[in-house]
Amino acid sequence: MTAFAALMAYQRETEALAQIAGRLGWDQETVMPEGAAEQRGEEMAAIEGVLHARRTDPRVGDWLAAAEAPDPAGARAIELIGRAYRRNAAVPARLASEFARVTSLAQGIWAEARARDDVAHFLPTLEKVVALSREKGQALAAAGFGGGDAYDALLDDYEPEATAESIAAMFDRMRPRLVALREAVLGAANPPAPLTGQYAEARQIGLARDLATAFGYDWSRGRLDLAVHPFSSGSGNDARITTRVVETDPFNCFYSTIHEVGHATYELGIDAAHFLTPLGQGVSMGVHESQSRIYENQLGRSRAFTGWLHGQMHAVFGGLSIGSAEEFYRTVNRVSAGFIRTEADEVHYNLHIMMRFDLERALFGGGLEVADLEDAWNTRFARDFGVAVDRPAHGVLQDVHWSVGLFGYFPTYTLGNVYAGCLHAALRADLPDLDTALGSGDARPATGWLREKVQRHGGLYRPAEVIERACDAAPSEEPLLDYLEAKFRAIYGL
């Protein structure tokens, strides 16, 4: 057996074990008994220990040194395995296992604190997560990742080659146009009316399943469950989605579902030849978010698709508080300075991300401590959104990310929006009659284009290269900003 064949066979087993670890996480968030949390923490720590040992096995280094790639895909696999090998070797086994144990327990503690609006219940655990994350970032930085910066070293795990400096510069370019658009929209004379009424959970879930089907979700390789914070999990032939239900706000359920379908169909759309290899998953979280965000927003909130959804909601729920399909389109895209990121309109969403990004950077190098995080959040939110946070669940406790140590993840949401803006412009140019299909509840022409241009490649190309190949242009924030201004100025008659 050649060194390359031995390396890939070994990696296949490691990838399979990682999928099992992911399934434990899915189970914890959906159906695990509440009393099993402590045991699950030990289980997660144990499997992480096994994975860390495999990922740092000296044989991997030997195979990497001797392996000769048979083709470009093999060369890219060697590159990705080598990168992961160096990252894992930089993190001590003790730290990797303890990080897995603490973050597994932290998820349940965060959920309890969020339900009780009790920041104090969560802060001691968050202190541990932040301390472990800082230690991990410092270990990676010392090994040369992130250019020696601890936060950049963590960010590099989610968006390779991105830096906090480059993201901050992009945010600085975006912020003036976003703020100007927000001020113009919020000052408009005739805002859309909100949707009112009660929408039963069972009927919401039924329509959510129809929406997932409309966007091409393969039910033979997936499932839909409820979770406190919607997410998708898995790859290959098992990519699952979750949603949540608020009976007074069906859009929460519907658009969370479409968003997670975007993630899942990316994983399910990857070329089967890459199954259980480093190429068999999304190349970065920014590219991943480009899929979920374009499904949710440019497609799911389009005039054509909301026209179809309006009819479906009438059929499922009876009369709605919004009469015409055009008014329904305006309501779906209603702009308001709400508290919750996952429910934010397209105008405000990136401002939520910019705030979290700045708070994260302060935690990792700007003198902000966990004990002061709630005050820092509330002060910044009031400044940016003009509204005082009314309760912790609407503020610092709203997102699951920090409880599980996902520092550096938040900026990839806006990167995803930027990538989605580029992809949408290219998609519309290639599919001029797309609205005809969307108007009948069929998103498959668009999702098929995305599968061919983006999803099937998995990790074969670098993130920016994926977008450039699909769009014939380097990624830029301009298409997103142009799209937002054109859409919302029309909706609000500006």
Side-chain angles (χ1 to χ4, degrees), residues 232 259-267 285 288-289 291-292 409:
S232 65
H259 180 100
E260 301 307 335
V261 166
H263 283 303
T265 53
Y266 183 6
E267 295 292 334
M285 288 315 306
H288 238 300
E289 290 299 333
Q291 303 306 283
S292 60
Y409 190 117

Side-chain angles (χ1 to χ4, degrees), residues 441-485:
D442 182 7
R444 288 176 299 176
T447 58
W449 186 95
L450 290 166
R451 185 175 301 111
E452 175 64 23
K453 297 287 189 176
V454 176
Q455 295 169 4
R456 69 183 179 91
H457 301 304
L460 184 59
Y461 305 111
R462 289 178 171 83
E465 187 181 2
V466 171
I467 305 305
E468 186 165 357
R469 290 173 66 93
C471 303
D472 294 324
S476 164
E477 66 273 8
E478 294 297 319
L480 172 67
L481 296 172
D482 291 346
Y483 153 79
L484 291 173
E485 288 173 347

Side-chain angles (χ1 to χ4, degrees), residues 94-330:
R94 168 205 55 81
L95 175 58
S97 292
E98 181 66 2
F99 188 87
R101 186 188 70 81
V102 170
T103 54
S104 178
L105 291 171
Q107 285 180 273
I109 296 168
W110 162 78
E112 292 172 2
R114 184 177 183 271
R116 291 159 41 176
D117 273 317
D118 186 356
V119 175
H121 181 65
F122 180 52
L123 285 185
T125 301
L126 184 58
E127 290 270 11
K128 295 177 184 177
V129 174
V130 170
L132 290 169
S133 298
R134 287 170 173 164
E135 186 179 354
K136 180 180 178 182
Q138 289 160 3
L140 290 165
F145 290 96
D149 179 83
Y151 183 75
D152 278 359
L154 296 176
L155 170 62
D156 185 66
D157 201 29
Y158 307 111
E159 196 68 18
E161 302 175 7
T163 66
E165 183 179 1
S166 67
I167 289 171
M170 181 182 72
F171 286 174
D172 286 344
R173 294 192 299 269
M174 295 176 68
R175 189 178 285 106
R177 288 178 66 177
L178 289 173
V179 171
L181 178 60
R182 180 189 67 181
E183 295 308 310
V185 166
L186 293 181
N190 184 32
L195 184 69
T196 60
Q198 290 285 130
Y199 301 85
E201 177 176 315
R203 293 186 179 185
Q204 284 195 44
I205 293 297
L207 185 48
R209 291 183 64 88
D210 292 341
L211 288 168
T213 300
F215 278 87
Y217 189 48
D218 183 351
W219 292 104
S220 73
R221 297 188 289 161
R223 55 180 290 132
L224 174 65
D225 293 274
L226 292 174
V228 174
H229 192 109
F231 68 98
S232 65
S233 175
S235 64
N237 288 321
D238 188 344
R240 308 176 186 195
I241 61 173
T242 65
T243 192
R244 63 183 172 202
V245 172
V246 178
E247 293 203 339
T248 57
D249 181 14
F251 295 153
N252 192 318
C253 174
F254 299 156
Y255 286 97
S256 291
T257 300
I258 295 172
H259 180 100
E260 301 307 335
V261 166
H263 283 303
T265 53
Y266 183 6
E267 295 292 334
L268 294 173
I270 295 171
D271 190 325
H274 302 325
F275 181 62
L276 289 181
T277 78
L279 310 185
Q281 54 195 346
V283 66
S284 76
M285 288 315 306
V287 177
H288 238 300
E289 290 299 333
S290 78
Q291 303 306 283
S292 60
R293 297 297 287 174
I294 197 172
Y295 276 46
E296 175 188 357
N297 293 323
Q298 283 94 338
L299 302 177
R301 298 182 195 272
S302 66
R303 177 181 276 105
F305 191 80
T306 58
W308 175 80
L309 178 58
H310 180 251
Q312 296 302 300
M313 287 191 67
H314 264 292
V316 171
F317 298 108
L320 302 177
S321 64
I322 305 299
S324 70
E326 180 62 23
E327 282 304 307
F328 185 80
Y329 165 66
R330 296 183 74 233

